[in-house]
Amino acid sequence: MLKKRIIVCLDVKDGRTTKGVKFLNNVDIGDPVEMAEEYYKQGVDELVFYDIIASANGRGPILDLISRVASKVFIPFCVGGGIGTIDDIRSTILAGAEKISLNSKAVQNPDLIRQGARIFGNQCIVLGMDAKKDESMPSGYRVFINGGRVATELDALDWAIKAVELGAGEIVLNSMDADGTREGYELTLTKMISDAVSVPVVASGGGGTVSHIKDVLSPTGGRADAALIASMVHSGDYTVGSIKSELAKSGVPVRLC
């Protein structure tokens, strides 16, 4: 049976790790290089690094910081934020990233997914999606960009399917309604996207307990392939190891340290 992955997310603003609730009221919580190294030591399967203001500010990725993080971790490392060209993708990979998350820039230029997948491989191109409940959309969820600041006319389900057709090899699906709340993942949204696409789906937003993670990874719950966490471990309430140990005891297949 395929192992379920536990992924820690580092949201970065002005070179520092930050955390908010529903994309608001972000506070500084530490140095991303030191935090990445600590989570690597704890046995995290992958790291995701998002520069949450790069696209909104119209600038590219901070390559020096990416390189410093990559030098401390020896696991898959995904980077997103401000990556809008093939040259941006190439330079980010050369700085040490194994995967590139395309979110706002992919909405604005969907062909970037196709080009990126053709040049660097589908496994390298991740669709980052920020979705929020909206009853006016066919699926009930609308896509937002620029760190949740700008609503689009894209339906979440339609966009996920299109992105995979273009070549995205994975989707990190973030529920804006659940983000930072620690009240549980958005199972309806996660299951809908997981059922509709043939690539791995990473559930993001709302993880607060090990039970939440178990639910979103369950074949009868969210059906996600991986769970992205942040507040749970940033707060010190859990370590990656303690989360994995509890999951394993409850029958979830995870890679133990």
Side-chain angles (χ1 to χ4, degrees):
M1 183 181 292
L2 226 59
K3 303 287 188 186
K4 300 291 188 177
R5 290 171 288 147
I6 302 300
I7 303 171
V8 169
C9 177
L10 300 174
D11 284 335
V12 176
K13 179 181 180 183
D14 298 325
R16 299 283 294 177
T17 307
T18 183
K19 196 72 193 83
V21 177
K22 298 185 179 181
F23 286 50
L24 299 171
N25 303 317
N26 285 73
V27 294
D28 184 315
I29 58 171
D31 176 72
V33 179
E34 293 175 359
M35 294 175 73
E37 185 174 20
E38 172 59 26
Y39 294 133
Y40 169 66
K41 290 177 180 177
Q42 288 183 18
V44 73
D45 296 306
E46 298 185 20
L47 277 171
V48 173
F49 174 109
Y50 288 138
D51 187 326
I52 64 171
I53 59 172
S55 291
N57 289 352
R59 64 161 171 75
I62 306 175
L63 298 177
D64 173 64
L65 185 55
I66 294 165
S67 178
R68 287 165 55 211
V69 171
S71 71
K72 300 293 185 181
V73 302
F74 304 94
I75 50 175
F77 174 39
C78 179
V79 173
I83 300 172
T85 67
I86 291 300
D87 284 343
D88 285 340
I89 295 175
R90 181 178 291 108
S91 60
T92 304
I93 291 172
L94 290 173
E98 281 84 19
K99 299 180 181 181
I100 302 300
S101 178
L102 302 176
N103 190 324
S104 304
K105 300 295 186 181
V107 169
Q108 295 159 354
N109 175 23
D111 197 52
L112 184 62
I113 298 174
R114 184 189 61 79
Q115 291 181 46
R118 178 177 57 83
I119 295 170
F120 302 103
N122 301 72
Q123 79 288 345
C124 239
I125 304 301
V126 177
L127 176 72
M129 185 197 304
D130 296 318
K132 190 174 184 179
K133 288 179 183 175
D134 187 332
E135 292 181 0
S136 69
M137 303 304 287
S139 72
Y141 296 88
R142 182 185 295 272
V143 175
F144 282 69
I145 59 172
N146 288 356
R149 298 172 182 84
V150 178
T152 75
E153 293 306 310
L154 289 175
D155 176 79
L157 179 60
D158 289 346
W159 178 226
I161 292 170
K162 180 179 180 181
V164 172
E165 289 174 348
L166 287 167
E170 185 171 81
I171 296 174
V172 174
L173 175 63
N174 188 50
S175 164
M176 292 178 62
D177 300 292
D179 182 79
T181 65
R182 301 185 67 177
E183 294 174 355
Y185 294 89
E186 226 283 23
L187 299 182
T188 302
L189 171 65
T190 307
K191 182 179 184 299
M192 177 177 63
I193 301 295
S194 296
D195 286 345
V197 299
S198 58
V199 302
V201 173
V202 180
S204 173
T209 68
V210 176
S211 291
H212 293 155
I213 298 175
K214 182 181 177 182
D215 288 344
V216 83
L217 297 177
S218 167
T220 57
R223 302 192 65 181
D225 298 274
L228 188 145
I229 57 175
S231 301
M232 285 179 70
V233 286
H234 295 342
S235 65
D237 292 344
Y238 295 87
T239 65
V240 174
S242 70
I243 291 169
K244 285 187 171 186
S245 179
E246 283 192 51
L247 288 172
K249 288 176 184 175
S250 63
V252 179
V254 291
R255 182 182 64 83
L256 296 174
C257 304

